[in-house]
Amino acid sequence: MEYSTEPTALRDRIRSAAKNQGLDAEKMASRYVAERWVDHFKDAFGPSPIALCGGLRYPQHLRPTSDADIKCVRRFTEQELTTGMELMKLYLRREGIEISTYTFRDVDIGLADPVRRIWIEATAGGIRANTQINMKSESGPNAFSKDWAEIEHAPLFPRGPTYTARVESDEAALAEKTDLRAKHLMDVIFLSCQPDIEIDHKKVADEMVRLQAHRGIQWDDITKRPGDALSWPSMKLRAEDWKRLSIERKCFIDLHDGFIQLGREFGKIKDRWKRHMLLAFRERDQ
């Protein structure tokens, strides 16, 4: 598809799309930068495969986001990242994006899947469009879900560019929500209340077993932790974040109703997971 990368035209399209969808123009511009970064990844960093595992998997009006979460099969050195980002600046400049600075930071150090975060300060069509790329490097027989698909993502705004990228399944994404932060709890609600998304709780349980093996998670951690985190006193501590995110994501469920719905969803998942584990124990003992 032909589209204009002239800064003024890009600025007008981003602002028009944000206004029509009732979204923040800067956040949409940030997502545009993240999407174009993903699309040019192989051009700048080489053929090593990546996959999307965050909000970019959904349209902006359903799951507003301003950054990209990706999974990599290898960890890039700082020199490789620097070389790649210098090339990325050239590719994105052709599309109306100017990257002024970027920095690297390691997060989740010491965990099974370390994350290298690239913080990018940029403009898209003259609109502030800062974003961050979270690159999670994983390895091992249970590091990746078998349930992936390569899809073409719709343009962020009319006559905008499309891009093709691998994405993980909704079930794999749901199984990842083990830290139970407010934004992740909202993800669970978001997935469960979408009419076009049907969650297979057995697949979620299968993905949890895979993650349990990959991360060395103990039985007690799964059987107790969600229950503690989803208690009403714990949920009440998230009230402000819940309210803010429900407005941002246009998923208007109050905290009490969300508490009930989350308990129902995790109950279904936990039941499937227990069945899965009991069957595995019986097969092992035979």
Side-chain angles (χ1 to χ4, degrees):
M1 178 185 291
E2 294 293 329
Y3 62 97
S4 174
T5 58
E6 197 276 324
T8 302
L10 178 60
R11 178 198 64 198
D12 292 344
R13 285 179 181 174
I14 291 175
R15 286 180 175 174
S16 176
K19 182 178 180 181
N20 291 338
Q21 297 177 33
L23 301 173
D24 180 74
E26 287 190 3
K27 192 164 191 174
M28 183 165 283
S30 294
R31 173 165 179 148
Y32 177 72
V33 173
E35 287 188 356
R36 304 318 302 147
W37 190 97
V38 169
D39 194 31
H40 287 292
F41 177 85
K42 288 185 178 181
D43 300 325
F45 293 93
S48 183
I50 62 170
L52 297 181
C53 55
L56 284 190
R57 298 181 309 121
Y58 304 103
Q60 184 75 347
H61 67 282
L62 291 180
R63 173 63 165 82
T65 188
S66 58
D67 53 29
D69 298 304
I70 64 173
K71 289 185 178 180
C72 311
V73 299
R74 60 179 290 259
R75 184 173 174 80
F76 290 84
T77 66
E78 189 159 325
Q79 181 57 55
E80 288 175 317
L81 291 174
T82 300
T83 301
M85 283 302 300
E86 288 302 310
L87 288 172
M88 187 68 74
K89 288 170 68 172
L90 300 177
Y91 285 113
L92 297 192
R93 183 171 295 146
R94 299 172 186 172
E95 303 197 17
I97 297 168
E98 288 290 338
I99 295 178
S100 56
T101 62
Y102 56 85
T103 56
F104 311 127
R105 177 188 173 196
D106 290 328
V107 296
D108 292 345
I109 300 171
L111 300 183
D113 306 314
V115 174
R116 178 152 282 183
R117 176 170 295 161
I118 305 177
W119 171 252
I120 299 171
E121 293 187 10
T123 58
I127 302 173
R128 182 182 178 189
N130 297 344
T131 188
Q132 65 184 27
I133 312 295
N134 299 308
M135 303 175 68
K136 180 184 290 187
S137 55
E138 299 191 342
S139 61
N142 296 300
F144 293 92
S145 169
K146 302 295 190 293
D147 197 5
W148 294 87
E150 189 158 325
I151 65 173
E152 183 178 15
H153 296 258
L156 188 58
F157 45 80
R159 301 193 304 281
T162 62
Y163 69 103
T164 301
R166 291 186 181 94
V167 298
E168 67 179 1
S169 68
D170 294 322
E171 287 79 11
L174 192 55
E176 290 273 1
K177 311 304 181 184
T178 56
D179 58 355
L180 298 174
R181 285 180 288 170
K183 69 175 185 177
H184 287 171
L185 294 173
M186 285 297 294
D187 284 343
V188 176
I189 289 292
F190 167 76
L191 289 173
S192 65
C193 70
Q194 293 301 312
D196 297 330
I197 298 176
E198 186 173 345
I199 298 298
D200 185 331
H201 295 93
K202 182 180 182 303
K203 285 185 178 180
V204 178
D206 291 342
E207 293 292 343
M208 288 177 67
V209 172
R210 176 185 63 80
L211 287 170
Q212 184 180 5
H214 175 58
R215 295 176 179 171
I217 302 172
Q218 300 300 312
W219 172 283
D220 287 347
D221 290 336
I222 291 183
T223 56
K224 292 193 309 186
R225 192 175 173 203
D228 295 339
L230 295 179
S231 67
W232 180 241
S234 180
M235 286 288 289
K236 286 178 69 176
L237 295 176
R238 299 177 169 90
E240 288 303 315
D241 284 341
W242 187 278
K243 183 178 179 181
R244 175 179 57 81
L245 288 168
S246 67
I247 294 172
E248 180 182 285
R249 300 188 183 181
K250 297 180 172 59
C251 184
F252 300 108
I253 300 176
D254 66 30
L255 189 66
H256 183 264
D257 289 343
F259 170 70
I260 295 172
Q261 190 166 339
L262 282 168
R264 186 183 305 123
E265 287 298 311
F266 272 102
K268 293 176 183 177
I269 294 168
K270 200 171 182 180
D271 181 60
R272 285 286 186 177
W273 174 80
K274 284 183 177 179
R275 288 190 225 170
H276 194 300
M277 295 303 294
L278 288 172
L279 181 61
F281 288 148
R282 288 170 184 166
E283 291 177 348
R284 184 193 64 182
D285 294 337
Q286 286 179 352

